[in-house]
C-alpha cells in the first residue's frame, strides 16, 4: 500500500492541484472557472456555488494540513470573497449557479450550497484567521439545520400528501458538515447533530433485509415500491459509510462502526461491475432496470469516495478484506481515470471503461473529490502510525490532515 | 424501400402493438401501466400522464386510420377515462405523474401534459364520436396557447433577469399540436398557430452561421455562450424539421420546406456517429464537451423521429439524398433497437450499440414513437401514390394515416 499512498501524494501535489491552479482562478472577477475541457480550456464561464465553496475548502485544507503555501491561501481567499459578494440571495439562502461576474442564474430547492458554504468558511477561517468567515460558516450551518428540521414542502420532488419521502442526502450532508465543523469550532451542536444524523441514517435508510442503504424511504422509514424507493447510489452509500465510521470513531460507538462496515460490504457486493470492473453509478435494489440513463457509467467521484471509505474501514477495523478492496478499487481508479497527457482525472467513463466525456471540470466536478481522496490516502501511513501510537480508535484527533468533509 | 415499409407494417401490427396490449392495460384502475422490463413485466405502477395521453392518441389513430378494431378503441377509452378522472389539478393544469389509482405524484412547470391531452382528446373524439372529448381537447389547447403567450416566470430554469432564454421545445410542441388539431377540428386558430410557430422557430432557433437548430437562444434570438446555448438535440431538431415540412405542405410554403431540409442536413452531418453509426442524444454545437452524461448514447426516439422526417423530406422534395439517409437510419434502427426475443424496441443503447438498459417502457418510453414511426412508414407506399395522384404537395390531405403528431 505504501506505493499507492506515495503515488497519491505525488499526483495530488504535482498533477491535480497544479492543474486547477493553472486553469481555474478567474483573474478578472475572482473565484474559479471550473468548466474545463480535457486540456483545461474554459468551455463555460458559469460559476457553480458548490464548486466555489468546495474549492475554498480544499485549498484551505491543503494550507492548514500540508504546507503554508501562499498560492493556496490566495486561491481560497479569492473564492471566499467571490462567494461572499455574490452567492447570497435576499432571503439568506445561497444561489446554486452564478454568471462569471456573479449574477444569479439558479437557486435550487436543496440547501447543499449552504452546507458547502459552512465547511468552506470554517476551514478558511482556520487558514486565514478571519473570524468573520467563521461567523458566516456558523450562520450557514444554522440555515442548514433549520432546513433539516423544517423542510419546505416546495422541496419535495413528489407530492408529500401522496408519497411522503425521506431522502438520504439530507442527513448525510448534515452529518458530513457537522463532522467537519467539529474540527474547527467548539459549539457542542455539531457533535449532537452528527450523532443524531448517524442515528437517523441507520434508523431509516439502513435495510439489512434487502440488503442496502437506500436513497429514499417513506417518512416513517418504510420501503417505497417504485424505482425511487429501490434506488441505490453506490457513491452515496460509500461516502455515507465513511462519515458514519468517522462519527463512530469520534463517539467511540462500535455498533455504528459495524453498521458502516455492513453498508460497505453490501454496496461493493451489489455495485461492483464484475464484468468490466468499477462501480456502477446507480443500481435498483430489486434488480429491475434503473431509470437513470447513466446507471452503468463509471464516475470519478464514487471511486474516490470508495477509496476514502475503505481506507477508513481498514484503519479502524484492521479487517484485511477492506485493504484488499482498497487495492482493487484503487487499481481500477488509477488505471482508468487519470489523464497522463493533460493531467487530472477524467470524470465519466462508459461501462467498459472507455472515456465517455473528456471534461475535467463541470457543474459537479471541481477540485474536490479527487484531491480530497488523494490527500487522505497520501497521509494514510502517518495516520496509521498516529493511530497506533495513540492507542486506538477512541483517542484519534479530529480534523487532522486526513479528515474528510 | 418497399421491403422496409412492409417490415414496418408487420412489426407494428404483429409485434409492437400486441406487446403493449398484452402488458400495459391496467384491468384494475384503467389506463396503462407503462414501466415495463424487457419481458413486459411491470417494474413500477406509477402512471405518467404523457404516456397515458400518447397511448390514447396512438390507439385512436390506429382505429381511425388502419382498422376499426374494438380492442384499440377500448384501450383508448380506458386511457381517456383515466386521464379525465385523475389528471386534472384544481387550477386546470394537468399533472405529470400519478399513482396507479390516480393519486397526484408530480406536476411540472412545463405544459406538455396539456399538449398531449389535446391531441389525445381530438383523436379519441374522432374514434369514439365523443363530443365531450373534443371539447376537452380544445380546452387543453387553450391552456397550452395561453401558456405560450404568457410563460410563467417560475417556469424558467435560469433566472430570466440574468439570462432570459427562449426554449425550442415550446414552439415545437405547439406547432406539432396545432398540426394535429387541424386534422380533427375546424377552428382556424390551429392553422394560424402552426404558421406562427413555424415562423418563430426559423426566426429564433435556426442558425445557418453555425449551422444548427439550437435548443435555447436568448429572448431576442441571440446566441448564449454557455453549454445550454450551444446545445443541439438531434432528435428534437429532426422532429421539428418534420413538423415544419408538414406545415410547409399544408401552407404551400416552399421557403419553409427548404429551411426544414437545411435542419435535416445540418443535424445528420453533426449528429450522426461516423464511428459506430446511430444518432447522438446530444451534441455541443461548438464541439465542447456536453454536460449531458448520456450525450453519446443511442436512444430509440431520435431514430424513430429521423425516419419520419426523412420519409417526409424524400416524399416532398424527391431528393435522393433523403432516401439514402432514410435507408441508412432505418438500417441502423432496425438492426439495433428491436428485441426479437421479447418484442418491441430497446430504448437505450451505449455509443457502441450494445444495450445499456433493457426496459421496454418507462417514464418517457411508451406506445408512441415506435408505433407512430412504423405506422407512417408502413403507409408510405400508399401516401406516395396518393401524393402523385393528387398532383403534388399542396393538395395533400391533412390528418391522414401518415399524419404525425
Amino acid at each position: 500500500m505504501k506505493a499507492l499512498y506515495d503515488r497519491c501524494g505525488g499526483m495530488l501535489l504535482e498533477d491535480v492541484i497544479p492543474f486547477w491552479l493553472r486553469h481555474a482562478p478567474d483573474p478578472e472577477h475572482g473565484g474559479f472557472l471550473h468548466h474545463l475541457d480535457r486540456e483545461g480550456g474554459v468551455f463555460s464561464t458559469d460559476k457553480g456555488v458548490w464548486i466555489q465553496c468546495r474549492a475554498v475548502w480544499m485549498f484551505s485544507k491543503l494550507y492548514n494540513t500540508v504546507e503554508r503555501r501562499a498560492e493556496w491561501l490566495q486561491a481560497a481567499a479569492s473564492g471566499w470573497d467571490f462567494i461572499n459578494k455574490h452567492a447570497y440571495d435576499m432571503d439568506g439562502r445561497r444561489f446554486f449557479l452564478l454568471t462569471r461576474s456573479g449574477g444569479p442564474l439558479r437557486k435550487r430547492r436543496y440547501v447543499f450550497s449552504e452546507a458547502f458554504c459552512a465547511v468552506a468558511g470554517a476551514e478558511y477561517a482556520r487558514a486565514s484567521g478571519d473570524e468573520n468567515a467563521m461567523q458566516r460558516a456558523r450562520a450557514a450551518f444554522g440555515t442548514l439545520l433549520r432546513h433539516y428540521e423544517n423542510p419546505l414542502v416546495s422541496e419535495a420532488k413528489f407530492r408529500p400528501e401522496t408519497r411522503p419521502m425521506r431522502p438520504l442526502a439530507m442527513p448525510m450532508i448534515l452529518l458530513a458538515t457537522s463532522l467537519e465543523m467539529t474540527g474547527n469550532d467548539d459549539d457542542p451542536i455539531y457533535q449532537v447533530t452528527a450523532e443524531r444524523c448517524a442515528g437517523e441514517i441507520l434508523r431509516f435508510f439502513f435495510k439489512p433485509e434487502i440488503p442496502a442503504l437506500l436513497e429514499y424511504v417513506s417518512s416513517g422509514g418504510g420501503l417505497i415500491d417504485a424505482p425511487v424507493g429501490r434506488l441505490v447510489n453506490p457513491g452515496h452509500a460509500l461516502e455515507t459509510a465513511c462519515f458514519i465510521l468517522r462519527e463512530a470513531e469520534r463517539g467511540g460507538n462500535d455498533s455504528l462502526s459495524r453498521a458502516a462496515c455492513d453498508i460497505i460490504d453490501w454496496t461493493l457486493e451489489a455495485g461492483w461491475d464484475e464484468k468490466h470492473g468499477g462501480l456502477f453509478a446507480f443500481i435498483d435494489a430489486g434488480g429491475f432496470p434503473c431509470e437513470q440513463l447513466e446507471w452503468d457509467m463509471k464516475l470519478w467521484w464514487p471511486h474516490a469516495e470508495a477509496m476514502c471509505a475503505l481506507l477508513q474501514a481498514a484503519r479502524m477495523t484492521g479487517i484485511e478484506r477492506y485493504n484488499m478492496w482498497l487495492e482493487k478499487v484503487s487499481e481500477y481508479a488509477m488505471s482508468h481515470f487519470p489523464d497522463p497527457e493533460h493531467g487530472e482525472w477524467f470524470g465519466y467513463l462508459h461501462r467498459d471503461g472507455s472515456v465517455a466525456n473528456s471534461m475535467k471540470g463541470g457543474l459537479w466536478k471541481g477540485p474536490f473529490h479527487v484531491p480530497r481522496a488523494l490527500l487522505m490516502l497520501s497521509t494514510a501511513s502517518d495516520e496509521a502510525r498516529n493511530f497506533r501510537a495513540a492507542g486506538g480508535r477512541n483517542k484519534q484527533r479530529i480534523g487532522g490532515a486526513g479528515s474528510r468533509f
Side-chain angles (χ1 to χ4, degrees), chain A residues 232-251:
Chain A
V232 172
N233 178 327
H236 266 183
L238 291 166
E239 66 178 326
T240 302
C242 189
F243 301 142
I244 293 176
L245 283 171
R246 282 180 57 201
E247 169 57 15
E249 187 174 45
R250 192 199 60 74

Side-chain angles (χ1 to χ4, degrees), chain A residues 13-242:
Chain A
L13 296 177
E14 288 151 35
D15 169 352
V16 171
I17 292 299
F19 179 92
W20 289 102
L21 280 177
R22 201 159 58 239
H23 301 295
D26 179 355
E28 201 168 324
H29 297 277
F32 306 97
L33 297 164
H34 56 89
H35 289 87
L36 304 179
D37 66 18
R38 184 176 175 190
E39 289 81 16
V42 175
F43 68 89
S44 167
T45 57
D46 290 354
K47 289 175 174 167
V49 172
W50 290 25
I51 304 277
Q52 305 298 320
C53 291
R54 289 168 150 187
V56 169
W57 178 86
M58 191 70 235
F59 286 114
S60 301
K61 180 63 103 186
L62 289 168
Y63 185 83
N64 289 332
T65 61
V66 176
E67 194 184 315
R68 299 205 161 258
R69 285 199 202 169
E71 60 178 355
W72 292 344
L73 185 60
Q74 192 185 335
S78 168
W80 183 247
D81 289 348
F82 187 84
I83 297 165
N84 284 333
K85 271 192 207 137
H86 304 296
Y88 291 77
D89 199 2
M90 282 179 296
D91 64 0
R93 289 278 317 278
R94 274 74 173 171
F95 292 111
F96 173 73
L97 190 66
L98 305 168
T99 62
R100 180 173 184 179
S101 61
L105 278 172
R106 291 181 72 186
K107 189 159 80 172
R108 298 192 77 182
R109 299 170 294 179
Y110 318 105
V111 287
F112 299 151
S113 290
E114 283 73 6
F116 302 132
C117 186
V119 298
E123 198 67 35
Y124 177 68
R126 183 143 72 101
S128 63
D130 177 353
E131 178 52 26
N132 183 263
M134 196 62 227
Q135 283 170 18
R136 283 179 182 267
R138 288 186 195 116
F141 186 85
T143 303
L144 180 62
L145 196 58
R146 274 194 303 282
H147 207 86
Y148 187 69
E149 308 278 7
N150 301 297
L152 295 174
V153 168
S154 66
E155 223 192 319
K157 195 172 169 188
F158 293 84
R159 301 214 151 194
E161 70 274 20
T162 315
R163 181 173 290 166
M165 291 193 338
R166 189 182 275 272
L168 170 63
M170 280 303 296
M172 178 188 77
I173 211 77
L174 187 53
L175 169 59
T177 307
S178 302
L179 285 168
E180 191 59 29
M181 296 298 285
T182 56
N184 287 316
D185 197 14
D186 289 334
D187 195 326
I189 184 70
Y190 306 122
Q191 302 196 9
V192 171
T193 306
E195 191 177 347
R196 169 184 163 191
C197 288
E200 289 184 1
I201 289 170
L202 296 192
R203 189 163 126 224
F204 293 115
F205 303 94
F206 181 83
K207 305 291 180 192
E209 69 270 29
I210 291 182
L213 187 77
L214 295 175
E215 283 291 305
Y216 297 95
V217 292
S218 74
S219 48
L223 299 180
I224 301 170
D225 186 20
V228 75
R230 296 189 301 259
L231 188 65
V232 172
N233 178 327
H236 266 183
L238 291 166
E239 66 178 326
T240 302
C242 189

Side-chain angles (χ1 to χ4, degrees), chain A residues 349-376:
Chain A
L349 313 180
H350 295 121
R351 177 170 181 177
D352 67 7
S354 58
V355 175
N357 189 317
S358 61
M359 72 165 79
K360 294 290 169 54
L363 203 47
W364 313 108
K365 187 168 185 293
F368 184 61
H369 293 95
V370 173
R372 181 174 72 168
L374 295 176
L375 176 61
M376 187 171 170

